[in-house]
Amino acid sequence: MAIIGIDLGTTNSLVAYFKEDHPIIIPNIYGESLTPSVVSVSEDGEVYVGRIAQERLISHPELTVSVFKRSMGSKKSYRLGSKTFTSEDLSALVIRKLKEDAEEFLGEEVDEAVISVPAYFNDTQRRATKTAGELAGLKTERIVNEPTAAAVAYGLHDEHDYTKYLVFDLGGGTFDVSILEKYNNVMEVRAVAGDNFLGGEDFTYVMMSWFIEHHNLDVEDLSYKEKSLLRKSAEDAKKALSNSRNVTVSCTINKQNYELLVTPDGYEKRCESLLGRLRNPIKRALSDASIKLQDIESVLLVGGATKMPLIRTFVSKLMGRFPSVAIDPDEVVAMGTAVHSAMKRRNKAITEIVLTDVCPYTLGTNISLRKPNGFHESGHFYPIIERNSVIPVSRSERLVTVYDNQDIINVEILQGESRKADDNVLLGELNVPIPEGKAGQEAIDVRYTYDINGILEVDITVISTGVSKTLILEKNPGILTEEEIAEKLAALKSLKVHPRDKDENRLLLAKAERLYEENIGEARMILSQEIVIFESLLDRQDEREIRDYAVRFSELLREIEDYME
């Protein structure tokens, strides 16, 4: 059985494998490397994933969802028709789609995957990603950081023995920056930083907000379809700025057509606050790595959002050099995961690569400190594993009781950089029973172990009794029990998922429906007639007729779309 690498993205996802001595991107049924991370449910309960679902964002926005990766590991749920999904469920459907594409391409069953996550994903989000892989029917023992995966992919192509990299990874929904150092056959991650809520989608929202503000519209008054149409027009305009000085955002709202002329300078000014948010993680990563900006020898761009001229110009000015785009920013992470999959299988072509990674956050707990007046004050953060510690890492600290006859010590597992415990992220907690005694007499050892997958385990030992407990993160919504995983796996398997071999015909209909929504007048009448004809052919199931008509239907849709541009 084969092992694959998966880049599970906010906007698009990819799958790759390692062949002989290099990684290869696996195309989907349309021959494309990118599969949109979008899921849709039809009126009769059939589930669509990828391109078809993306087309339905316009025609059926209330039954379609995207950008769910940002909610990974949270309690947020998505209602699509009669069905409710978590982010893990939706991600599992995307991963399953990639698994099917890989099995079709490789001609064999795939049972395991290495999946990438943003470097700044916390323990909850990493575990949720691992769960999504398992729900898709894949053994997921290895989780890798996206910038690290990208650097590994570049490392295979870099002939220099010593290089210091800065990886600038701006995807659809997250931003990471990593500082790496390569010497001989060792690639060491020195520091990482980032923002889990900053990505290409936010630059699209800037365009949408500009349009809404320009026309004095109230976003609350827009329907699902109007919001979806506006988002698509804004996304198209954002991409068009790569090839044009001026672009137009156009959208029909309440039967009235609105337009906004967008210039690169005007758009850049609107994005100043987002660009400011990109600077801080870069400064932090350089500081933590104790490396000066001028010592960076190569800047690597990763993620589809880095294709925007706005971002490339920003990075060039900030870094004082042109960044490297030798590998497609959309594909480089997936290629890196394929390299990791080969490393896991101990492929002889890459056995000489030694890779080290780091813990992106400080991990600690909540303690009480004695004040000058003799009283104790709780709510202070006590670091146990400092951020950017090389992993795997295991560290232990001893905590004691703070008042007489204390019979329980509450251990909160916190992640963050704030001095105050409440300002950090609570990953979980455990109440540990202890024998009663005088203050300071009883103690526990708290050991944090952060593994190569970026997943945290906590062991607590009561010193006087020797009783040990491993933390079960009961308040962590990203962790499921084996029974819950089995139950969810059965539920997802029972879904009526659209057959892969019928994707191309269903995509034509979804695209036609989307174009119908976007057009008016004669084009709409033509589309309506063609949809009815094609649907009737599909009902008759005459493969020759369907194949012949699909060619003409596809050409018509292309002509209509080209005319719209």
Side-chain angles (χ1 to χ4, degrees), residues 10-65:
T10 304
T11 306
N12 294 293
S13 295
L14 302 89
V15 58
Y17 81 112
F18 199 87
K19 182 179 180 181
E20 296 175 354
D21 62 351
H22 63 285
I24 295 176
I25 300 294
I26 296 175
N28 57 29
I29 193 172
Y30 312 111
E32 301 166 345
S33 61
L34 303 179
T35 294
S37 301
V38 187
V39 176
S40 185
V41 176
S42 69
E43 290 80 353
D44 62 357
E46 190 171 33
V47 175
Y48 302 107
V49 181
R51 279 278 304 280
I52 298 173
Q54 186 180 48
E55 294 289 352
R56 287 172 59 85
L57 273 171
I58 299 297
S59 59
H60 300 81
E62 72 285 353
L63 295 173
T64 309
V65 62

Side-chain angles (χ1 to χ4, degrees), residues 287-523:
S287 174
D288 286 356
S290 299
I291 292 177
K292 296 180 179 179
L293 187 61
Q294 57 265 33
D295 294 331
I296 296 296
E297 296 164 278
S298 184
V299 180
L300 313 181
L301 292 189
V302 178
T306 62
K307 292 183 175 181
M308 290 189 291
L310 171 70
I311 298 301
R312 296 196 175 184
T313 300
F314 168 80
V315 174
S316 298
K317 288 180 179 178
L318 184 65
M319 304 303 298
R321 74 202 64 197
F322 290 110
S324 175
V325 288
I327 305 177
D328 188 331
D330 275 321
E331 299 181 352
V332 63
V333 170
M335 294 174 69
T337 61
V339 175
H340 275 277
S341 72
M343 292 169 67
K344 193 173 186 299
R345 283 282 171 90
R346 300 186 182 279
N347 187 297
K348 292 181 180 179
I350 54 172
T351 50
E352 293 187 356
I353 294 179
V354 178
L355 176 69
T356 71
D357 214 330
V358 296
C359 172
Y361 295 93
T362 297
L363 298 164
T365 190
N366 183 352
I367 63 168
S368 295
L369 293 179
R370 185 184 294 276
K371 300 177 68 175
N373 60 11
F375 291 101
H376 283 86
E377 180 182 70
S378 63
H380 294 269
F381 182 56
Y382 185 70
I384 295 178
I385 295 178
E386 296 280 6
R387 72 171 186 260
N388 290 317
S389 297
V390 176
I391 61 173
V393 58
S394 183
R395 289 181 184 155
S396 177
E397 294 289 344
R398 182 162 293 184
L399 305 179
V400 300
T401 53
V402 295
Y403 57 86
D404 293 341
N405 299 320
Q406 185 175 339
D407 59 359
I408 285 179
I409 294 181
N410 175 255
V411 179
E412 291 184 349
I413 311 306
L414 301 172
Q415 168 190 281
E417 311 303 331
S418 177
R419 181 180 60 85
K420 294 183 178 179
D422 286 346
D423 292 336
N424 294 311
V425 177
L426 176 64
L427 297 178
E429 62 180 315
L430 185 66
N431 290 317
V432 183
I434 54 171
E436 294 184 11
K438 291 184 178 180
Q441 178 177 313
E442 291 295 328
I444 60 173
D445 278 345
V446 179
R447 177 171 294 280
Y448 283 21
T449 302
Y450 196 80
D451 69 13
I452 60 173
N453 293 313
I455 291 177
L456 175 68
E457 296 291 344
V458 178
D459 293 302
I460 302 172
T461 302
V462 181
I463 301 303
S464 63
T465 65
V467 175
S468 295
K469 288 191 175 183
T470 299
L471 182 66
I472 300 174
L473 300 179
E474 295 175 348
K475 289 191 175 182
N476 191 331
I479 298 176
L480 302 176
T481 65
E482 290 185 7
E483 292 78 11
E484 289 172 326
I485 289 177
E487 183 179 337
K488 273 185 168 288
L489 187 57
L492 289 177
K493 282 185 176 179
S494 68
L495 288 175
K496 184 182 176 184
V497 178
H498 184 70
R500 183 181 188 277
D501 59 359
K502 296 181 179 178
D503 261 12
E504 293 188 28
N505 293 331
R506 184 65 252 186
L507 176 61
L508 285 176
L509 282 176
K511 186 175 183 178
E513 289 174 357
R514 188 256 298 171
L515 290 172
Y516 180 89
E517 294 284 345
E518 294 178 344
N519 278 276
I520 58 174
E522 184 180 359

Side-chain angles (χ1 to χ4, degrees), residues 71-133:
S71 302
M72 187 71 85
S74 73
K75 294 180 179 179
K76 185 174 180 178
S77 61
Y78 300 84
R79 184 77 174 176
L80 302 179
S82 62
K83 303 182 185 301
T84 301
F85 300 90
T86 64
S87 292
E88 292 95 301
D89 297 332
L90 296 166
S91 296
L93 291 170
V94 174
I95 294 172
R96 189 200 295 183
K97 187 76 168 176
L98 299 174
K99 176 178 181 287
E100 291 173 357
D101 288 335
E103 290 175 335
E104 178 70 20
F105 184 83
L106 298 174
E108 61 178 307
E109 188 176 345
V110 173
D111 68 335
E112 186 174 353
V114 172
I115 303 179
S116 66
V117 295
Y120 232 50
F121 253 25
N122 62 33
D123 179 77
T124 306
Q125 294 164 312
R126 291 170 187 269
R127 288 179 182 266
T129 302
K130 189 174 186 294
T131 297

